[in-house]
Every structure is written in structure tokens, then in C-alpha cells.
Amino acid sequence: MNKVITLLGSTGSIGTQSLDVARMHGYSVFGLAANSSVDKLLGQIHEFHPRYVAVVDPAAYEKLSAALTGQPDAPKLLQGAEGLRELAAMDGPDIVLNAVVGIAGLPASLAAIENGHDLALANKESLVTGGHLVTDAVKKHGVKLLPVDSEHSAIFQCLQDAPSAKTLEKILLTASGGPFFGMKTEELRTKTKADALKHPNWNMGAKITIDSATLMNKGLELIEAAWLFGLPEDKIQIVVQRESIIHSAVQFADHSIIAQLGVPDMRIPIQYALTWPDRLPSPVPELDFTALTKLSIAQADEETFRCLAACKKAIRKGGLAPCAANGANEAAVAHFLRNEIGFLDIGRLVEGIVDSDSFGGDYTLADVYECDRMARAYVEAHI
């Protein structure tokens, strides 16, 4: 079947791998969206011929517009954050895949859902910052919310047996441990951007790679899992699986555990989100069990990696606490990538904002934006 997709965040790591899947299966691309990578976007436009393209950055929009001038089959261009939301809402695709990085992906997720689109979600911040807004909208509009993160896809796959899924008791959320696994606080004090960007297993963008090094990524995934699968924080156990072969597991009432395994390649969960409930041949090599020498399991060290502890505290507090943690982290990581703060400062700042308020109660989208602004201001005031 010729599935039609809209891909938000098409020039990033998840976006380009999503297009690998689309290319293999001959999917049509209705719309593409990116922030500022014009050269990559031009190549995608020429290959996939989308009808609409949204560009968030104003200078990149002007550059792309000039490059497409006079081309008879050029797509219609949409500009800015509003253009991103407009594209997400448009009729035409069978599914919208949101691979935008950061809180900027939340309005697009809501726009897609509210206009009746099934949503393949790689933008974890949509659930971290606006969890009840997203899940309430999914229920109201009767659409599918399909996880793309490898860990959440693994859990989702393990729950496809509906009778067993009703007895879900516990989630085992796996982490690679990042480049600094096993190190203690003093060892981390002098770690640089170059050190933190050396992930042992995954090829990802800079921000998510830093989040993996601090274990913030796993904290965000814990919050996301709580929203996706309806379990409290104390029923989600984080375990380090260094080889990134076991992508996560679930435990049922009879204490049976089912896990999903595969090579560390994001095209497996991306494809499953796009083809669910079907499984199709994959561009990914098979997992060779004869070549496996070990599958190690260890406990995540939240005493050292304070971002993880802060995220657990945030989801327990509820309300906008996870949004505050996310906003502070985005701001702190940006400073770290500019070599303006140390590695341990990221965890200090995230934990500080979570401890600064109770954050309880219901909230609106406007409240999410204000909380995010406040969290970023907190970072600027405390670096």
C-alpha cells in the first residue's frame, strides 16, 4: 500500500532515517518540515517531491525560496512556527511523524491530533511538557499515538498481546548508559563537549547525545512512558543495557518478562510506527545471535547522574514540573554545547528548577509556554 506521510523534522537524524524507510517501501511524502538545513532539505525535495514544505528559520526560508524560484514542480512553502503547525494539521497524509527536537514539537503534535491525524511521535518533549494535553486530545479525537523512540516502541511491541497487556505490572526501560557509564562525580567534573558527544552505540544529534551522557534522555523517556502506558514512576525501572540490543521489556502479573531485541538502528522503531500493525521487510540488518558475546544489565546511577533523579522527582510532583525540567535542560545543554558551563552544571540546573516550586495542578498550552520561559530564565540567572 502506498502510504502517504508528513514528516516534521526531516533533516535531523530521525528524519533522514524515516526517509530511508519511506524510500524502501515507496511511501509518498505529502509534507516536509525543517528548521534551517536548506541544502539537506533541497535534496529531499528533489527526491520525494512533497506538496508542502515548512521552514521555521526566517533566513533559511528565504534561502530555500530563492533556490526553488522558477522550478515548475516546486512545493508550496510555509514559514515559521505557524507554518509548522499548519503543515501538521493539513489533510492529505495517512500519518504525521513528528521528529522535531524540543518543546517546539508540542504545538505541531497537538495540531496533527486535533485535525484527526494518527501521530508517530519521536518528539518526546510533546509528552514531557504537555502530557495531559496530548493524551486528552488523543482520546477526544480518536487517533492513534504511535511511539517512535526505540525504548517506547519496544514496550509498545511487547504489549501487542491485548489480554496480557491488561495485566501489565512493570516496565523495564533500558539505557545504554552513555559515554560516561560507571564514572563518578569527580570524574565527570572535567568532561568536555567532545567527550560527551562520543556515544558508544547510537548516531544521534548533538542535543540528544548530550542528554544521553547526562541520563536526562532516560529521565525524559521515563516521563514519556508514564504518559504512554499509564504506569506511575515507581513501576518504571531503568536498567542499563550497554550493548543496546535489549531495547526495553515489560513484566506482567505472573512475573513473566517479555523483551524486544534488535540491532541498535532507529529505522526498526520508525518503520513499526509507520506500518503498525503490520510488519514489513526492513532496511536494517538482522540481529546475529551467534555473534553476541554478552548482554549486560546494570543499575542506573541516579546519585551521580542528577538529571535522572530530577526527572523522577518531576513526574512525582506532576503538573508542570516535567516541563520545567525539560526547559531548564534545553537551556543548559545549549550553554554546555557553547562551552559556557561544565558538564555537571546541567544536572545542577535541572535539579534546581524542579526543587524551586511545587508545579502542581492542571495547565493549559499557554501555561506550558510560560513555564518553559520561566525555566530558561532560571538557568540564565543561575549559571
Side-chain angles (χ1 to χ4, degrees):
M1 184 180 70
N2 182 24
K3 185 163 284 190
V4 182
I5 66 172
T6 287
L7 176 57
L8 313 178
S10 68
T11 59
S13 176
I14 298 296
T16 55
Q17 292 177 88
S18 299
L19 290 174
D20 286 345
V21 173
R23 185 181 298 113
M24 179 174 183
H25 296 297
Y27 291 164
S28 297
V29 176
F30 178 83
L32 295 173
N35 181 43
S36 60
S37 299
V38 173
D39 291 340
K40 277 188 180 180
L41 195 51
L42 271 170
Q44 293 172 354
I45 290 168
H46 291 145
E47 179 179 0
F48 292 96
H49 307 288
R51 291 176 58 187
Y52 296 89
V53 171
V55 184
V56 176
D57 179 76
Y61 173 87
E62 296 299 331
K63 182 178 178 182
L64 183 65
S65 179
L68 293 173
T69 298
Q71 295 191 17
D73 59 346
K76 181 177 179 181
L77 298 187
L78 306 168
Q79 184 176 8
E82 183 55 41
L84 180 67
R85 289 194 295 271
E86 184 181 349
L87 178 58
M90 278 185 177
D91 292 334
D94 298 308
I95 190 167
V96 174
L97 196 161
N98 187 352
V100 172
V101 175
I103 193 174
L106 172 60
S109 289
L110 291 172
I113 293 166
E114 289 165 0
N115 284 273
H117 293 306
D118 290 342
L119 180 66
L121 188 62
N123 172 254
K124 62 174 58 67
E125 291 84 1
S126 289
L127 284 170
V128 170
T129 63
H132 91 73
L133 300 178
V134 173
T135 54
D136 288 354
V138 166
K139 292 174 185 174
K140 179 179 178 180
H141 296 280
V143 301
K144 300 287 191 302
L145 183 61
L146 301 161
V148 171
D149 271 350
S150 61
E151 296 82 0
H152 301 99
S153 175
I155 297 161
F156 181 66
Q157 292 180 57
C158 292
L159 294 175
Q160 290 308 294
D161 171 13
S164 295
K166 294 177 182 177
T167 72
L168 176 64
E169 186 177 75
K170 185 179 182 181
I171 287 171
L172 300 168
L173 187 69
T174 60
S176 70
F180 303 145
F181 174 71
M183 297 185 186
K184 296 299 181 183
T185 301
E186 285 309 309
E187 297 173 87
L188 296 177
R189 198 172 299 282
T190 57
K191 292 302 178 183
T192 66
K193 174 177 75 173
D195 297 326
L197 287 172
K198 294 175 183 175
H199 196 281
N201 300 334
W202 296 95
N203 179 22
M204 305 177 290
K207 193 266 182 183
I208 194 172
T209 304
I210 300 301
D211 285 351
S212 180
T214 63
L215 294 194
M216 181 71 185
N217 194 47
K218 210 50 49 180
L220 296 176
E221 288 177 3
L222 182 147
I223 295 167
E224 189 180 8
W227 284 110
L228 281 169
F229 305 110
L231 286 187
E233 170 267 330
D234 61 353
K235 295 293 184 181
I236 305 171
Q237 180 181 351
I238 296 177
V239 294
V240 177
Q241 209 287 292
R242 288 295 284 163
E243 297 79 24
S244 296
I245 297 297
I246 303 172
H247 296 296
S248 276
V250 298
Q251 179 177 302
F252 298 113
D254 61 356
H255 294 169
S256 292
I257 293 176
I258 294 180
Q260 186 261 329
L261 282 67
V263 296
D265 191 311
M266 281 303 300
R267 291 174 295 180
I268 293 176
I270 290 168
Q271 177 168 298
Y272 191 66
L274 293 177
T275 65
W276 178 88
D278 299 320
R279 292 186 185 269
L280 299 180
S282 169
V284 177
E286 68 179 48
L287 177 61
D288 182 2
F289 267 74
T290 65
L292 288 178
T293 56
K294 66 176 180 177
L295 288 173
S296 59
I297 299 291
Q299 184 175 347
D301 179 7
E302 61 187 78
E303 290 302 315
T304 300
F305 295 89
R306 299 307 298 167
C307 283
L308 178 55
C311 285
K312 285 188 172 184
K313 190 181 298 183
I315 191 63
R316 286 195 298 267
K317 281 190 170 186
L320 285 165
C323 176
N326 178 77
N329 179 68
E330 285 191 19
V333 169
H335 281 289
F336 178 70
L337 287 171
R338 294 194 297 265
N339 300 308
E340 294 168 352
I341 62 173
F343 181 78
L344 290 177
D345 289 322
I346 302 173
R348 173 179 65 83
L349 291 163
V350 173
E351 194 165 31
I353 189 66
V354 173
D355 287 340
S356 70
D357 197 285
S358 62
F359 294 106
D362 204 357
Y363 53 86
T364 65
L365 184 58
D367 295 329
V368 170
Y369 290 142
E370 175 57 23
C371 179
D372 180 72
R373 184 205 63 76
M374 181 202 66
R376 293 169 191 271
Y378 176 93
V379 169
E380 299 307 315
H382 289 80
I383 59 174

